[in-house]
Amino acid sequence: VCRSNKSPWVCLTCSSVHCGRYVNGHAKKHYEDAQIPMSNHKKPEKQEKVQHTVCMDCSSYSTYCYRCDDFVVNDTKLGLVQKVREHLQNLENSAFTSDRHRKRKLLENSSLNSKLLKVNGSTTALCATGLRNLGNTCFMNAILQSLSNIQQFCCYFKELPAVELRNGKTAGRRTYHTRSQGDNNVSLVEEFRKTLCALWQGSQTAFSPESLFYVVWKIMPNFRGYQQQDAHEFMRYLLDHLHLELQGGFNGVSRSVILQENSSLSASNKCCINGASTVVTAIFGGILQNEVNCLICGTESRKFDPFLDLSLDIPSQFRNKRSKNQESGPMCTLRDCLRSFTDLEELDETELYMCHKCKKKQKSTKKFWIQKLPKVLCLHLKRFHWTAYLRNKVDTYVEFPLRGLDMKCYLLEPENSGPESCLYDLVAVVVHHGSGVGSGHYTAYAAHEGRWFHFNDSTVTLTDEETVGKAKAYILFYVERQARPGADKL
């Protein structure tokens, strides 16, 4: 009707194709136009056939029921939905093959192509793979692309033994999960591994992570549906569930055996969070010392808290909307945010400290020290905050270093650290575009083999350090610099 080529939805009753609910909603109008009069409500069997309630997204192959007003994962007894998926997949594959031949001819005739790069005088393929948006899943795509460029973390999962969740006549073909498979076959680690293996192979322009998203729906109810979600919240849930699943052993292989195979992840480098250590805590795990002092009697209380990331406030004096090019007022830096996080502060009346010596809640001060730094330092800038009844976004630009972030001054015992053990280099940045947490769009910048890429769902483009440095970062991933003999400290 509207001639849109975005998000085509096919009616599974009459095969009519319309744009989906996130475009102009003509698929929903088709359902409403097919409604039968209320006088026939006593004929439910006829109603099922006439109402045109079920349709399928031709991009992600997910099925939506307008009567339930939700996406559904179950199938008919005859597996008709799966047959439609396979038919659409065959159509897509044949179209993709012909399109690939066409693009190959264009490549041969074109001297300027974004998929080709000149490195040391020779031309190489871009080889980066994007992730399809399954319906507001950019929050997931940005996190997955960021994690895929953290080499030690990514390589661990890619080297895990593969497990085929389905076999028989469907082996080797694209897997679509259905409710009939049961929960026993659901493995977040396995689907995460498959997704990471599909990236950076250059064999396809975009990979569709619907199997991973299905598992996310199964084990993380907060992320069911197709509304926009918070990327930081998703990252924490993802890492926590990967950590828990790895603790329980994986595919019949003991977790301890798998960890022993990777000698670089020695037990001394692990930080335990919720039980035994895993690759998640070995890479992202650090330890904070929380120091609280009673202002009445001077009693000091210390406790150690493990962390996978640090959530930093943007200081209030910088919260006025200010772009990098505006000269009015001081510019907020990442160091300002870290200093605000670790500086001594007096707790307000709602956070009174229960002093064991005074036997009652008293005014007190709090200070954080970093007792142990992680291999990968994940910094989350708190851009979303509640004011009255609304959740607003802090759109302030925060300047951050691409190399040589020095964390020594925030350490509890800096004298015990090596000359380069506290230096970190940026490897990935997640950016939120838009004004609200429930809207907008997420993209990611990440470094791979010395080059920076911009990941925008299916689209991957080569970029430069200057562009990365101008981004209004939401999540920053810094990798610990490896000490090199004779290297100069930046």
Side-chain angles (χ1 to χ4, degrees), residues 263-290:
S263 58
S264 62
L265 301 176
S266 60
S268 61
N269 290 330
K270 300 189 187 77
C271 167
C272 294
I273 298 176
N274 297 329
S277 58
T278 66
V279 66
V280 176
T281 52
I283 299 293
F284 292 96
I287 300 175
L288 281 177
Q289 177 179 289
N290 186 355

PDB file of all heavy atoms in Angstrom, residues 263-290:
ATOM      1  N   SER A 263      45.313 -21.201  29.529  1.00  0.00           N
ATOM      2  CA  SER A 263      46.301 -20.942  30.583  1.00  0.00           C
ATOM      3  C   SER A 263      46.365 -19.480  30.985  1.00  0.00           C
ATOM      4  O   SER A 263      46.797 -19.150  32.083  1.00  0.00           O
ATOM      5  CB  SER A 263      47.685 -21.389  30.107  1.00  0.00           C
ATOM      6  OG  SER A 263      48.036 -20.701  28.912  1.00  0.00           O
ATOM      7  N   SER A 264      45.927 -18.575  30.087  1.00  0.00           N
ATOM      8  CA  SER A 264      46.004 -17.148  30.411  1.00  0.00           C
ATOM      9  C   SER A 264      44.983 -16.746  31.456  1.00  0.00           C
ATOM     10  O   SER A 264      45.062 -15.673  32.036  1.00  0.00           O
ATOM     11  CB  SER A 264      45.807 -16.311  29.143  1.00  0.00           C
ATOM     12  OG  SER A 264      44.519 -16.545  28.604  1.00  0.00           O
ATOM     13  N   LEU A 265      43.983 -17.592  31.690  1.00  0.00           N
ATOM     14  CA  LEU A 265      42.963 -17.281  32.694  1.00  0.00           C
ATOM     15  C   LEU A 265      43.250 -18.068  33.961  1.00  0.00           C
ATOM     16  O   LEU A 265      42.507 -18.951  34.346  1.00  0.00           O
ATOM     17  CB  LEU A 265      41.562 -17.616  32.146  1.00  0.00           C
ATOM     18  CG  LEU A 265      41.162 -16.890  30.865  1.00  0.00           C
ATOM     19  CD1 LEU A 265      39.807 -17.379  30.399  1.00  0.00           C
ATOM     20  CD2 LEU A 265      41.161 -15.399  31.075  1.00  0.00           C
ATOM     21  N   SER A 266      44.346 -17.778  34.595  1.00  0.00           N
ATOM     22  CA  SER A 266      44.733 -18.503  35.799  1.00  0.00           C
ATOM     23  C   SER A 266      43.864 -18.108  36.972  1.00  0.00           C
ATOM     24  O   SER A 266      43.259 -17.047  36.994  1.00  0.00           O
ATOM     25  CB  SER A 266      46.202 -18.238  36.132  1.00  0.00           C
ATOM     26  OG  SER A 266      46.407 -16.859  36.347  1.00  0.00           O
ATOM     27  N   ALA A 267      43.813 -19.004  37.952  1.00  0.00           N
ATOM     28  CA  ALA A 267      42.923 -18.790  39.100  1.00  0.00           C
ATOM     29  C   ALA A 267      43.258 -17.517  39.850  1.00  0.00           C
ATOM     30  O   ALA A 267      42.384 -16.875  40.428  1.00  0.00           O
ATOM     31  CB  ALA A 267      43.003 -19.995  40.032  1.00  0.00           C
ATOM     32  N   SER A 268      44.510 -17.116  39.870  1.00  0.00           N
ATOM     33  CA  SER A 268      44.907 -15.936  40.627  1.00  0.00           C
ATOM     34  C   SER A 268      44.363 -14.652  40.029  1.00  0.00           C
ATOM     35  O   SER A 268      44.326 -13.622  40.693  1.00  0.00           O
ATOM     36  CB  SER A 268      46.434 -15.841  40.686  1.00  0.00           C
ATOM     37  OG  SER A 268      46.959 -15.729  39.366  1.00  0.00           O
ATOM     38  N   ASN A 269      43.930 -14.707  38.761  1.00  0.00           N
ATOM     39  CA  ASN A 269      43.436 -13.504  38.096  1.00  0.00           C
ATOM     40  C   ASN A 269      41.923 -13.381  38.163  1.00  0.00           C
ATOM     41  O   ASN A 269      41.356 -12.474  37.597  1.00  0.00           O
ATOM     42  CB  ASN A 269      43.862 -13.507  36.621  1.00  0.00           C
ATOM     43  CG  ASN A 269      45.346 -13.295  36.473  1.00  0.00           C
ATOM     44  OD1 ASN A 269      45.946 -12.621  37.305  1.00  0.00           O
ATOM     45  ND2 ASN A 269      45.935 -13.868  35.449  1.00  0.00           N
ATOM     46  N   LYS A 270      41.260 -14.307  38.831  1.00  0.00           N
ATOM     47  CA  LYS A 270      39.807 -14.309  38.805  1.00  0.00           C
ATOM     48  C   LYS A 270      39.218 -13.583  40.016  1.00  0.00           C
ATOM     49  O   LYS A 270      39.771 -13.596  41.099  1.00  0.00           O
ATOM     50  CB  LYS A 270      39.265 -15.741  38.744  1.00  0.00           C
ATOM     51  CG  LYS A 270      39.734 -16.505  37.521  1.00  0.00           C
ATOM     52  CD  LYS A 270      38.996 -17.808  37.429  1.00  0.00           C
ATOM     53  CE  LYS A 270      39.586 -18.661  36.318  1.00  0.00           C
ATOM     54  NZ  LYS A 270      40.824 -19.292  36.672  1.00  0.00           N
ATOM     55  N   CYS A 271      38.089 -12.960  39.779  1.00  0.00           N
ATOM     56  CA  CYS A 271      37.353 -12.309  40.854  1.00  0.00           C
ATOM     57  C   CYS A 271      36.014 -13.015  40.971  1.00  0.00           C
ATOM     58  O   CYS A 271      35.236 -13.041  40.035  1.00  0.00           O
ATOM     59  CB  CYS A 271      37.150 -10.826  40.522  1.00  0.00           C
ATOM     60  SG  CYS A 271      35.961 -10.007  41.567  1.00  0.00           S
ATOM     61  N   CYS A 272      35.734 -13.634  42.116  1.00  0.00           N
ATOM     62  CA  CYS A 272      34.517 -14.435  42.272  1.00  0.00           C
ATOM     63  C   CYS A 272      33.305 -13.543  42.505  1.00  0.00           C
ATOM     64  O   CYS A 272      33.323 -12.670  43.362  1.00  0.00           O
ATOM     65  CB  CYS A 272      34.670 -15.410  43.440  1.00  0.00           C
ATOM     66  SG  CYS A 272      35.931 -16.655  43.133  1.00  0.00           S
ATOM     67  N   ILE A 273      32.257 -13.757  41.722  1.00  0.00           N
ATOM     68  CA  ILE A 273      30.986 -13.068  41.890  1.00  0.00           C
ATOM     69  C   ILE A 273      29.901 -14.133  41.823  1.00  0.00           C
ATOM     70  O   ILE A 273      29.808 -14.853  40.837  1.00  0.00           O
ATOM     71  CB  ILE A 273      30.758 -12.018  40.786  1.00  0.00           C
ATOM     72  CG1 ILE A 273      31.853 -10.935  40.856  1.00  0.00           C
ATOM     73  CG2 ILE A 273      29.393 -11.380  40.912  1.00  0.00           C
ATOM     74  CD1 ILE A 273      31.771  -9.924  39.751  1.00  0.00           C
ATOM     75  N   ASN A 274      29.106 -14.233  42.865  1.00  0.00           N
ATOM     76  CA  ASN A 274      28.031 -15.230  42.900  1.00  0.00           C
ATOM     77  C   ASN A 274      28.563 -16.636  42.646  1.00  0.00           C
ATOM     78  O   ASN A 274      28.132 -17.326  41.729  1.00  0.00           O
ATOM     79  CB  ASN A 274      26.941 -14.892  41.876  1.00  0.00           C
ATOM     80  CG  ASN A 274      26.276 -13.565  42.184  1.00  0.00           C
ATOM     81  OD1 ASN A 274      26.169 -13.193  43.343  1.00  0.00           O
ATOM     82  ND2 ASN A 274      25.849 -12.848  41.164  1.00  0.00           N
ATOM     83  N   GLY A 275      29.536 -17.076  43.445  1.00  0.00           N
ATOM     84  CA  GLY A 275      30.018 -18.437  43.319  1.00  0.00           C
ATOM     85  C   GLY A 275      31.405 -18.521  42.718  1.00  0.00           C
ATOM     86  O   GLY A 275      32.231 -17.632  42.888  1.00  0.00           O
ATOM     87  N   ALA A 276      31.651 -19.616  41.992  1.00  0.00           N
ATOM     88  CA  ALA A 276      32.968 -19.864  41.420  1.00  0.00           C
ATOM     89  C   ALA A 276      33.260 -18.867  40.301  1.00  0.00           C
ATOM     90  O   ALA A 276      32.363 -18.276  39.712  1.00  0.00           O
ATOM     91  CB  ALA A 276      33.034 -21.298  40.890  1.00  0.00           C
ATOM     92  N   SER A 277      34.556 -18.717  39.998  1.00  0.00           N
ATOM     93  CA  SER A 277      34.960 -17.779  38.964  1.00  0.00           C
ATOM     94  C   SER A 277      34.792 -18.403  37.581  1.00  0.00           C
ATOM     95  O   SER A 277      34.861 -19.613  37.407  1.00  0.00           O
ATOM     96  CB  SER A 277      36.409 -17.366  39.184  1.00  0.00           C
ATOM     97  OG  SER A 277      37.234 -18.510  39.178  1.00  0.00           O
ATOM     98  N   THR A 278      34.559 -17.546  36.570  1.00  0.00           N
ATOM     99  CA  THR A 278      34.440 -17.973  35.176  1.00  0.00           C
ATOM    100  C   THR A 278      35.196 -16.972  34.317  1.00  0.00           C
ATOM    101  O   THR A 278      35.773 -15.999  34.816  1.00  0.00           O
ATOM    102  CB  THR A 278      32.969 -18.023  34.717  1.00  0.00           C
ATOM    103  OG1 THR A 278      32.456 -16.682  34.705  1.00  0.00           O
ATOM    104  CG2 THR A 278      32.121 -18.888  35.631  1.00  0.00           C
ATOM    105  N   VAL A 279      35.160 -17.177  33.008  1.00  0.00           N
ATOM    106  CA  VAL A 279      35.822 -16.246  32.106  1.00  0.00           C
ATOM    107  C   VAL A 279      35.225 -14.844  32.228  1.00  0.00           C
ATOM    108  O   VAL A 279      35.904 -13.838  32.017  1.00  0.00           O
ATOM    109  CB  VAL A 279      35.722 -16.753  30.646  1.00  0.00           C
ATOM    110  CG1 VAL A 279      34.274 -16.741  30.159  1.00  0.00           C
ATOM    111  CG2 VAL A 279      36.609 -15.929  29.726  1.00  0.00           C
ATOM    112  N   VAL A 280      33.936 -14.745  32.598  1.00  0.00           N
ATOM    113  CA  VAL A 280      33.292 -13.442  32.748  1.00  0.00           C
ATOM    114  C   VAL A 280      33.970 -12.639  33.845  1.00  0.00           C
ATOM    115  O   VAL A 280      34.335 -11.466  33.668  1.00  0.00           O
ATOM    116  CB  VAL A 280      31.784 -13.603  33.042  1.00  0.00           C
ATOM    117  CG1 VAL A 280      31.137 -12.249  33.304  1.00  0.00           C
ATOM    118  CG2 VAL A 280      31.084 -14.307  31.885  1.00  0.00           C
ATOM    119  N   THR A 281      34.151 -13.274  35.022  1.00  0.00           N
ATOM    120  CA  THR A 281      34.782 -12.563  36.135  1.00  0.00           C
ATOM    121  C   THR A 281      36.286 -12.449  35.935  1.00  0.00           C
ATOM    122  O   THR A 281      36.906 -11.512  36.434  1.00  0.00           O
ATOM    123  CB  THR A 281      34.474 -13.273  37.468  1.00  0.00           C
ATOM    124  OG1 THR A 281      34.810 -14.662  37.353  1.00  0.00           O
ATOM    125  CG2 THR A 281      33.001 -13.151  37.804  1.00  0.00           C
ATOM    126  N   ALA A 282      36.876 -13.397  35.200  1.00  0.00           N
ATOM    127  CA  ALA A 282      38.315 -13.320  34.940  1.00  0.00           C
ATOM    128  C   ALA A 282      38.644 -12.122  34.060  1.00  0.00           C
ATOM    129  O   ALA A 282      39.706 -11.511  34.211  1.00  0.00           O
ATOM    130  CB  ALA A 282      38.790 -14.603  34.270  1.00  0.00           C
ATOM    131  N   ILE A 283      37.739 -11.757  33.160  1.00  0.00           N
ATOM    132  CA  ILE A 283      37.990 -10.649  32.238  1.00  0.00           C
ATOM    133  C   ILE A 283      37.456  -9.326  32.784  1.00  0.00           C
ATOM    134  O   ILE A 283      38.151  -8.314  32.800  1.00  0.00           O
ATOM    135  CB  ILE A 283      37.341 -10.940  30.866  1.00  0.00           C
ATOM    136  CG1 ILE A 283      37.944 -12.205  30.246  1.00  0.00           C
ATOM    137  CG2 ILE A 283      37.506  -9.745  29.923  1.00  0.00           C
ATOM    138  CD1 ILE A 283      39.394 -12.096  29.859  1.00  0.00           C
ATOM    139  N   PHE A 284      36.199  -9.325  33.250  1.00  0.00           N
ATOM    140  CA  PHE A 284      35.548  -8.072  33.655  1.00  0.00           C
ATOM    141  C   PHE A 284      35.568  -7.832  35.165  1.00  0.00           C
ATOM    142  O   PHE A 284      35.211  -6.754  35.620  1.00  0.00           O
ATOM    143  CB  PHE A 284      34.081  -8.064  33.189  1.00  0.00           C
ATOM    144  CG  PHE A 284      33.919  -7.986  31.698  1.00  0.00           C
ATOM    145  CD1 PHE A 284      33.739  -9.132  30.940  1.00  0.00           C
ATOM    146  CD2 PHE A 284      33.947  -6.770  31.044  1.00  0.00           C
ATOM    147  CE1 PHE A 284      33.595  -9.071  29.560  1.00  0.00           C
ATOM    148  CE2 PHE A 284      33.804  -6.693  29.672  1.00  0.00           C
ATOM    149  CZ  PHE A 284      33.622  -7.841  28.929  1.00  0.00           C
ATOM    150  N   GLY A 285      35.965  -8.831  35.941  1.00  0.00           N
ATOM    151  CA  GLY A 285      35.836  -8.745  37.387  1.00  0.00           C
ATOM    152  C   GLY A 285      36.897  -7.892  38.057  1.00  0.00           C
ATOM    153  O   GLY A 285      38.100  -8.073  37.845  1.00  0.00           O
ATOM    154  N   GLY A 286      36.452  -6.960  38.873  1.00  0.00           N
ATOM    155  CA  GLY A 286      37.327  -6.150  39.714  1.00  0.00           C
ATOM    156  C   GLY A 286      36.763  -6.117  41.118  1.00  0.00           C
ATOM    157  O   GLY A 286      35.707  -6.687  41.398  1.00  0.00           O
ATOM    158  N   ILE A 287      37.468  -5.453  42.038  1.00  0.00           N
ATOM    159  CA  ILE A 287      37.014  -5.378  43.428  1.00  0.00           C
ATOM    160  C   ILE A 287      37.094  -3.933  43.911  1.00  0.00           C
ATOM    161  O   ILE A 287      38.120  -3.260  43.739  1.00  0.00           O
ATOM    162  CB  ILE A 287      37.856  -6.280  44.352  1.00  0.00           C
ATOM    163  CG1 ILE A 287      37.769  -7.741  43.911  1.00  0.00           C
ATOM    164  CG2 ILE A 287      37.389  -6.158  45.800  1.00  0.00           C
ATOM    165  CD1 ILE A 287      38.662  -8.688  44.699  1.00  0.00           C
ATOM    166  N   LEU A 288      36.003  -3.454  44.504  1.00  0.00           N
ATOM    167  CA  LEU A 288      35.936  -2.124  45.124  1.00  0.00           C
ATOM    168  C   LEU A 288      36.050  -2.245  46.632  1.00  0.00           C
ATOM    169  O   LEU A 288      35.546  -3.207  47.221  1.00  0.00           O
ATOM    170  CB  LEU A 288      34.612  -1.439  44.793  1.00  0.00           C
ATOM    171  CG  LEU A 288      34.414  -0.777  43.439  1.00  0.00           C
ATOM    172  CD1 LEU A 288      32.993  -0.250  43.339  1.00  0.00           C
ATOM    173  CD2 LEU A 288      35.404   0.356  43.234  1.00  0.00           C
ATOM    174  N   GLN A 289      36.686  -1.269  47.270  1.00  0.00           N
ATOM    175  CA  GLN A 289      36.608  -1.162  48.729  1.00  0.00           C
ATOM    176  C   GLN A 289      35.680  -0.006  49.052  1.00  0.00           C
ATOM    177  O   GLN A 289      35.900   1.130  48.632  1.00  0.00           O
ATOM    178  CB  GLN A 289      37.976  -0.908  49.361  1.00  0.00           C
ATOM    179  CG  GLN A 289      37.862  -0.725  50.881  1.00  0.00           C
ATOM    180  CD  GLN A 289      39.199  -0.500  51.551  1.00  0.00           C
ATOM    181  OE1 GLN A 289      40.004  -1.403  51.642  1.00  0.00           O
ATOM    182  NE2 GLN A 289      39.433   0.725  52.020  1.00  0.00           N
ATOM    183  N   ASN A 290      34.642  -0.315  49.808  1.00  0.00           N
ATOM    184  CA  ASN A 290      33.654   0.677  50.223  1.00  0.00           C
ATOM    185  C   ASN A 290      33.980   1.079  51.660  1.00  0.00           C
ATOM    186  O   ASN A 290      33.882   0.266  52.581  1.00  0.00           O
ATOM    187  CB  ASN A 290      32.252   0.072  50.118  1.00  0.00           C
ATOM    188  CG  ASN A 290      31.167   1.084  50.396  1.00  0.00           C
ATOM    189  OD1 ASN A 290      31.445   2.224  50.752  1.00  0.00           O
ATOM    190  ND2 ASN A 290      29.922   0.666  50.229  1.00  0.00           N
TER     191      ASN A 290
END
